[in-house]
Amino acid sequence: LENGSFFGEIALVMEVRRTCSVQARTVCEVNILQQNAFDAILMDNPHFARRMNELVVARQLDSCMARSHQKGVDFKVSQSDMDLAILTMEKNMKEGLERRQMQES
């Protein structure tokens, strides 16, 4: 990671445990963003929410393709499949936001 990079967004977007770990090689500043703060940002910034969904789909796809390539399997993903994955992620994110709002009420 480099200056301005982040990790853990998949856990926030998909409501799953974080599966990656990061170890700093140098002194760095770390900021923690709790789920409720992340939700507020998503609700106030639809463009940011869309970009986060795109990023999560892209990172998951990269990870899947890397694992498949290690096993000798290569595949390509069409733009229409990518668009569908992003739409599905957006739907799931919206449902998660609504569910967490109901729980807080």
Side-chain angles (χ1 to χ4, degrees):
L1 298 176
E2 55 192 46
N3 192 17
S5 295
F6 55 90
F7 65 98
E9 75 288 344
I10 292 174
L12 290 169
V13 170
M14 298 182 64
E15 298 181 276
V16 295
R17 289 183 50 91
R18 189 176 46 78
T19 58
C20 69
S21 296
V22 176
Q23 185 174 13
R25 292 185 181 165
T26 62
V27 174
C28 64
E29 182 177 324
V30 177
N31 295 294
I32 299 171
L33 185 61
Q34 299 295 332
Q35 184 75 57
N36 60 346
F38 186 70
D39 289 350
I41 293 168
L42 295 176
M43 288 185 288
D44 291 343
N45 301 283
H47 179 72
F48 175 76
R50 170 111 180 136
R51 291 292 299 134
M52 287 306 299
N53 284 316
E54 292 170 351
L55 178 70
V56 166
V57 169
R59 285 189 177 181
Q60 286 189 308
L61 180 60
D62 286 346
S63 176
C64 182
M65 290 177 85
R67 285 191 310 269
S68 296
H69 184 72
Q70 289 174 345
K71 295 177 181 179
V73 176
D74 289 320
F75 64 91
K76 295 185 187 236
V77 177
S78 70
Q79 186 60 50
S80 62
D81 286 341
M82 191 72 157
D83 293 342
L84 180 60
I86 292 168
L87 287 173
T88 301
M89 187 68 65
E90 287 175 348
K91 177 180 174 270
N92 291 342
M93 177 189 277
K94 182 179 179 185
E95 290 172 356
L97 283 169
E98 291 170 354
R99 184 178 55 259
R100 288 188 297 276
Q101 282 181 322
M102 296 275 293
Q103 290 172 346
E104 289 178 8
S105 300

